Amino acid sequence: MRIFHISRNYSPHDHRFLAKMADEGEQVFFLPLEENGNALEDRPLPLGVTRLRWSRSRPRPSWRDGPRMAADLKELIRQHRPDVVQAGPVQRGAFLAALARFPNLVTMSWGYDLLIDLQRGRPWVWATRFTLRRSAAFVGDCQPVQEIAIAHGMPPERIVTFPWGADLVKYHPLPGPKHLTHLRQRKGWGPESFVLLSTRGWSPLYGVEDLVQAFVQLAPERPELRLLMLGGGPLSARIKALVHNAGLLERVHFPGQVGQDALPAYYQAADLYISTSHSDGTSISMLEALACGTPVLLRDIPGNRAWVEKPGEVGWLFSGSGLTGGIETALDMRAQLPRMGQAARALAEARGDWEKNFPHIRRAWQIALKS
C-alpha cells in the first residue's frame, strides 16, 4: 500500500509511525508541514521512507499558506498516487488534505488539536468541522477525543480508537531496588532518596512550574525528595530560578533534552513519575513510565482517568492544589510502590503495547479504502 504520512514536524512519534509502516512493507511518503530545522527527532528517517517537500517551504506555515500548500499536495498526490493519506493534526495536516479533496483521508488527531486548539476561536472550529466531514476515517487516542470528533461531524462508525503505546522491549523495569540504578548511583542519591520525574516540556501547557513549586514547598520538610527535570522550554529561566533561590540545586538534576536511547534509564531510576499537563489524550510519556514499572501521579483530566481508575493501583490523580498532597501520599506509601510498579507494568502490557495497538491503524486504512 502507498501511504502519505503528513504531520506537523518530524517528532519521535512520527519516527515510530514511519518505521513501523516501512518495516511492514508499506510504501511510505513523509510530508512534514514545518521545514528548515524544526525537527524534534534527531534520528534519520527510517529506511524505505521517501521524504516529500513543498514547493516553497516555510518554518511555520500560516493560514494564508493553505491554498498554495493544498495545491502542492494535489500535485504530489497526482505524482505518487497514494492509496491513503494519513494526516494530522486535525486543523493543519488533515485540513490541507481535506482542502485537496483526497477521498481516502485518515485524519489522525494528536490530542491537543481537539482538546485545546478548538478553544482558539471560530476559524479553528470551522476547520475542524470542514476536515472531519471530509475524512473517510478518524483516529483518536482516547474516548474524550472520540467524543469531540463526533460532536463536530465525524460519523462514529468511521472512528478508530488507537491509544498509541510504548515500546515494551525498550521501556521495561530493572531488577533490584531503584537506588541501585546507575543514574542514581552517579548522582549519589542513596536508598533514602525519593526521586520524582518530569519529562514534559517547560511551557505553560504542561504545568511544570506547578511541580517545581510543589517540590520547593515540600523539600524543607522532606529531605529525601529529589527531582529529575528533563527537557526545556520557554519557562526555563523561571524554573531554574525557583530552584536556585530555594537553595535546592543539589537535589535537582536538569539533564536537558535526553536522547531516545537514554530515556528509559530515567524512568527506571524514578520512584514516581509526575505529569502536571493541563491537556492530554493518552500520554506517551505516561505509558513509558508505566512500562518501566514506575507509579504515576497525574493531573485529573479526562485522558488520564482511563489509566488511573482506582487510587493506589498504578498511581494517583490530583486536581487543583492537590499536587503536594499527592506527592506526600506517595511518600507515605513508599513501601507499596514496588507492588504498584508491577501493576503499572501489567497495565502497559494489557493496554499500552505499541506492537499490539498498531493494527488499529490498519483498520482505519481499511475503513478509508471502503468509503
Side-chain angles (χ1 to χ4, degrees):
M1 188 182 300
R2 297 165 70 85
I3 302 170
F4 272 23
H5 179 78
I6 303 175
S7 185
R8 188 170 181 176
N9 45 36
Y10 181 41
S11 71
H13 304 315
D14 292 300
H15 181 90
R16 287 205 302 168
F17 277 111
L18 296 168
K20 183 65 173 175
M21 291 188 291
D23 286 347
E24 294 194 352
E26 313 300 345
Q27 191 170 358
V28 185
F29 301 84
F30 177 47
L31 185 59
L33 301 179
E34 298 179 2
E35 298 271 10
N36 300 334
N38 284 298
L40 304 175
E41 169 61 60
D42 55 7
R43 289 171 290 184
L45 281 180
L47 291 176
V49 176
T50 301
R51 171 71 177 266
L52 302 177
R53 298 187 182 276
W54 307 99
S55 62
R56 289 176 293 167
S57 63
R58 291 185 58 174
R60 290 185 178 274
S62 66
W63 288 101
R64 74 188 87 184
D65 297 308
R68 172 188 58 79
M69 296 179 75
D72 279 0
L73 182 55
K74 280 185 178 181
E75 178 58 23
L76 290 169
I77 289 171
R78 186 192 67 79
Q79 292 176 11
H80 299 284
R81 300 185 180 280
D83 298 295
V84 168
V85 171
Q86 173 177 287
V90 172
Q91 306 91 350
R92 296 176 176 87
F95 176 61
L96 285 177
L99 283 176
R101 299 185 179 279
F102 183 77
N104 300 336
L105 169 59
V106 175
T107 291
M108 178 176 288
S109 171
W110 287 73
Y112 65 83
D113 45 13
L114 296 187
L115 296 170
I116 294 178
D117 286 346
L118 271 174
Q119 303 172 27
R120 297 175 67 174
R122 290 182 179 179
W124 294 82
V125 174
W126 177 85
T128 300
R129 291 175 175 165
F130 178 89
T131 302
L132 294 179
R133 288 170 180 169
R134 288 159 178 78
S135 299
F138 174 85
V139 176
D141 65 352
C142 63
Q143 184 70 22
V145 166
Q146 177 176 318
E147 291 171 355
I148 294 171
I150 293 171
H152 288 79
M154 193 69 211
E157 66 273 14
R158 296 185 183 180
I159 292 178
V160 172
T161 299
F162 168 57
W164 296 23
D167 181 341
L168 298 192
V169 175
K170 179 178 179 180
Y171 294 93
H172 60 86
L174 291 179
K178 294 271 190 177
H179 72 271
L180 294 180
T181 59
H182 175 72
L183 192 153
R184 285 176 65 155
Q185 288 188 320
R186 181 161 50 87
K187 294 294 298 178
W189 293 351
E192 76 288 349
S193 298
F194 190 88
V195 179
L196 312 177
L197 171 65
S198 171
T199 64
R200 310 310 295 266
W202 296 10
S203 67
L205 170 63
Y206 296 113
V208 291
E209 188 175 346
D210 295 342
L211 172 56
V212 175
Q213 289 175 337
F215 179 80
V216 168
Q217 179 181 339
L218 288 172
E221 300 176 358
R222 307 301 296 251
E224 67 270 37
L225 278 180
R226 301 292 185 271
L227 177 60
L228 291 171
M229 283 282 294
L230 277 62
L235 296 179
S236 178
R238 179 166 176 77
I239 285 171
K240 291 184 177 180
L242 283 169
V243 175
H244 179 269
N245 293 339
L248 295 170
L249 284 176
E250 292 186 356
R251 294 166 62 179
V252 180
H253 181 41
F254 297 118
Q257 297 290 347
V258 173
Q260 290 295 308
D261 291 341
L263 191 54
Y266 288 86
Y267 290 110
Q268 293 159 347
D271 293 293
L272 184 68
Y273 166 84
I274 299 180
S275 175
T276 49
S277 179
H278 294 283
S279 178
D280 261 324
T282 296
S283 165
I284 302 302
S285 56
M286 178 268 297
L287 293 180
E288 291 168 348
L290 295 175
C292 289
T294 301
V296 299
L297 176 59
L298 313 173
R299 192 179 294 276
D300 188 0
I301 54 177
N304 290 334
R305 291 173 198 149
W307 297 91
V308 181
E309 297 178 322
K310 182 179 179 182
E313 282 190 341
V314 302
W316 300 269
L317 300 175
F318 73 91
S319 58
S321 59
L323 178 56
T324 54
I327 295 172
E328 288 185 301
T329 296
L331 280 162
D332 293 340
M333 295 182 63
R334 185 171 187 171
Q336 300 182 40
L337 294 187
R339 172 191 59 78
M340 293 174 61
Q342 293 174 355
R345 173 67 186 191
L347 178 60
E349 291 175 352
R351 295 174 48 203
D353 184 343
W354 168 258
E355 292 296 329
K356 290 180 180 177
N357 291 345
F358 189 82
H360 291 295
I361 293 292
R362 291 195 171 276
R363 185 155 61 88
W365 299 344
Q366 293 165 2
I367 292 171
L369 291 171
K370 293 177 181 177
S371 64

